[in-house]
């Protein structure tokens, strides 16, 4: 009988205790009904009959040849490769692991774990494991954010946690003209396009003035759509919006007071006019998790940058000259887990 060898690069478990005596069919059934919590750490949870590293010379004792994975060993495997695995999914992992052991055993019999190729593959696999472990360790350290750090960040960035009730008018850059596909673009067409754009810009300025005077935004938006022939109905009431939800060139509207109307803001496809409603700052308890995520992400990026800047690999241009002009694809060697990019804030509805 033999215990299992490592699967992939999972950490080897400690030597298992002496296997328990074979259970009878009745007792095994009773154990299964009792649930895994009643099984001792040395209880076999995976058994592969007829497979062992050193089969007995006496074929009459071949029935004793088997590979056993104990509960302690299996749970150590789970902790190493899938710590968040739900208990119901462990059966599937056990099945895959057991079959992997069978294949590893066969590979060992064929001598595939010998020679320079195998050693090089193991070296590369080690790089991958250590890179992943380093990233995980840095991530765990980055997530240790104190309450004081959260509070300091909140008070130093209160403007980032402001939200305001917004209304908006959208005016297209030009009118929807007749389809000119496959038609020559002559001077007359260019002139018509320019006149259309000038008219819509003038309309945007006019609607802005009426908005500032207190006219209803729904009515003004409808006039914009009717004048432009725009297909669609842009929303005018955006609800509560954070500063970070707007593009940088529009965030300046947060400097306005409640009830004020912005100047016309030019965007690639048209013009926008905003009107601010009630403005308030979100309390710390509502943005605490957001701040922790922001600080953790920044700390992780800083840690990775420090490591990457500590030593710069230099490539021999004479050797890699052809590669520079060749395909860009490459095989990852110990690919480092990059810190997650900060999620983009949603824009106005």
């Amino acid at each position: 009988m033999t215990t299992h060898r490592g699967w992939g690069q999972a950490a080897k478990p400690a030597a298992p205790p002496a296997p328990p005596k074979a259970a009878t069919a009745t007792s095994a059934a009773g154990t299964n009904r009792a649930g895994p919590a009643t099984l001792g750490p040395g209880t076999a949870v995976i058994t592969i009959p007829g497979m062992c590293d050193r089969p007995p010379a006496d074929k009459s004792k071949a029935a004793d040849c088997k590979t056993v994975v104990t509960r302690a060993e299996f749970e150590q495997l789970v902790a190493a490769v899938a710590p968040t695995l739900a208990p119901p999914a462990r059966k599937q992992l056990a099945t895959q692991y057991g079959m992997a052991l069978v294949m590893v055993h066969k590979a060992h019999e064929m001598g595939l774990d010998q020679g320079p190729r195998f050693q090089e593959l193991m070296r590369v696999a080690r790089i991958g494991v250590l890179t992943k472990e380093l990233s995980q360790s840095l991530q765990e350290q980055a997530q240790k954010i104190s309450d004081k750090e959260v509070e300091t960040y909140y008070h130093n960035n209160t403007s980032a946690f402001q939200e305001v009730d917004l209304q908006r008018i959208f005016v297209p850059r030009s009118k929807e003209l007749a389809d000119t596909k496959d038609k020559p673009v002559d001077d007359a067409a260019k002139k018509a396009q320019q006149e259309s754009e000038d008219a819509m810009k003038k309309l945007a300025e006019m609607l802005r003035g009426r908005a500032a005077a207190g006219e209803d935004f729904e009515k003004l938006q409808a006039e914009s759509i009717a004048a432009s022939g725009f297909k669609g109905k842009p929303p005018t009431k955006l609800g509560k919006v954070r500063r970070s939800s707007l593009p940088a060139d529009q965030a300046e509207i947060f400097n306005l007071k409640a009830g004020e109307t912005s100047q016309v803001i030019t965007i690639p496809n048209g013009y926008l006019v905003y009107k601010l409603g009630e403005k308030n700052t979100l309390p710390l308890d509502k943005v605490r998790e957001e701040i922790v995520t922001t600080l953790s992400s920044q700390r992780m990026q800083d840690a990775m940058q420090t490591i990457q800047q500590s030593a710069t690999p230099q490539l021999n241009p004479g050797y890699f000259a052809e590669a520079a002009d060749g395909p860009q694809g490459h095989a990852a060697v110990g690919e480092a887990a990059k810190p997650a990019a900060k999620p983009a804030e949603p824009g106005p509805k």
Side-chain angles (χ1 to χ4, degrees), residues 145-165:
I145 306 296
S146 69
D147 290 342
K148 182 175 178 57
E149 289 175 297
V150 171
E151 292 170 5
T152 298
Y153 184 90
Y154 176 78
H155 293 300
N156 289 342
N157 299 274
T158 52
S159 62
F161 306 111
Q162 287 182 338
E163 64 176 10
V164 65
D165 196 21

Side-chain angles (χ1 to χ4, degrees), residues 125-145:
R126 180 176 181 274
I127 293 174
V129 170
L130 287 177
T131 301
K132 182 178 178 181
E133 288 297 293
L134 172 62
S135 179
Q136 180 63 35
S137 178
L138 293 177
Q139 189 70 59
E140 291 173 356
Q141 291 298 319
Q143 291 173 349
K144 295 178 180 179
I145 306 296

Side-chain angles (χ1 to χ4, degrees), residues 197-268:
E197 292 183 6
D198 291 344
M200 297 312 294
K201 183 176 182 180
K202 184 176 180 181
L203 175 64
E205 293 289 354
M206 183 267 289
L207 293 178
R208 187 267 165 194
R210 291 167 59 187
E215 287 197 43
D216 181 69
F217 267 54
E218 289 284 354
K219 174 187 174 183
L220 298 177
Q221 182 65 76
E223 290 187 27
S224 168
I225 297 304
S228 65
F230 182 77
K231 296 177 176 60
K233 187 178 180 181
T236 58
K237 295 181 179 179
L238 305 182
K240 296 290 186 179
V241 176
R242 294 271 296 278
R243 180 187 293 265
S244 56
S245 299
L246 296 176
D249 58 351
Q250 297 177 34
E252 63 183 20
I253 67 172
F254 272 76
N255 298 328
L256 299 174
K257 297 178 181 179
E260 291 186 330
T261 302
S262 73
Q263 297 298 318
V264 174
I265 298 174
T266 302
I267 59 175

Side-chain angles (χ1 to χ4, degrees), residues 22 45 52 59 263 294 302 304 306 332:
V45 295
C52 53
K59 293 185 178 181
Q263 297 298 318
T294 298
D302 292 344
M304 290 296 293
T306 298

Side-chain angles (χ1 to χ4, degrees), residues 61-191:
K61 298 182 179 180
D64 294 332
C65 180
K66 59 184 176 182
T67 292
V68 169
V69 179
T70 67
R71 174 186 174 179
E73 292 171 328
F74 180 70
E75 291 182 351
Q76 187 169 351
L77 168 72
V78 172
V81 302
T84 60
L85 187 68
R90 292 190 175 191
K91 182 176 181 181
Q92 181 180 1
L93 175 62
T95 299
Q96 295 172 343
Y97 182 54
M99 184 51 62
L101 289 179
V102 173
M103 297 180 72
V104 167
H105 181 76
K106 182 62 177 178
H108 174 67
E109 288 183 339
M110 296 171 64
L112 300 181
D113 55 352
Q114 304 296 323
R117 172 181 165 79
F118 176 76
Q119 294 301 323
E120 182 62 15
L121 290 174
M122 291 297 291
R123 187 184 70 83
V124 173
R126 180 176 181 274
I127 293 174
V129 170
L130 287 177
T131 301
K132 182 178 178 181
E133 288 297 293
L134 172 62
S135 179
Q136 180 63 35
S137 178
L138 293 177
Q139 189 70 59
E140 291 173 356
Q141 291 298 319
Q143 291 173 349
K144 295 178 180 179
I145 306 296
S146 69
D147 290 342
K148 182 175 178 57
E149 289 175 297
V150 171
E151 292 170 5
T152 298
Y153 184 90
Y154 176 78
H155 293 300
N156 289 342
N157 299 274
T158 52
S159 62
F161 306 111
Q162 287 182 338
E163 64 176 10
V164 65
D165 196 21
L166 279 184
Q167 294 185 79
R168 182 186 66 186
I169 301 171
F170 168 68
V171 180
R173 177 172 289 275
S174 63
K175 297 180 180 180
E176 292 290 328
L177 302 178
D179 186 12
T180 57
K181 185 177 181 182
D182 299 328
K183 294 181 181 179
V185 181
D186 54 18
D187 291 341
K190 291 181 179 179
K191 181 179 179 181

Side-chain angles (χ1 to χ4, degrees), residues 326-341:
Q328 298 300 310
H330 65 281
V333 178
E335 183 175 356
K338 297 180 180 179

Side-chain angles (χ1 to χ4, degrees), residues 139 142-147 149-151 153 161 284 287-299:
Q139 189 70 59
Q143 291 173 349
K144 295 178 180 179
I145 306 296
S146 69
D147 290 342
E149 289 175 297
V150 171
E151 292 170 5
Y153 184 90
F161 306 111
L284 176 57
V287 294
R288 181 178 296 276
E289 290 303 317
E290 176 185 333
I291 294 175
V292 169
T293 299
T294 298
L295 292 176
S296 296
S297 177
Q298 185 59 56
R299 184 176 292 181

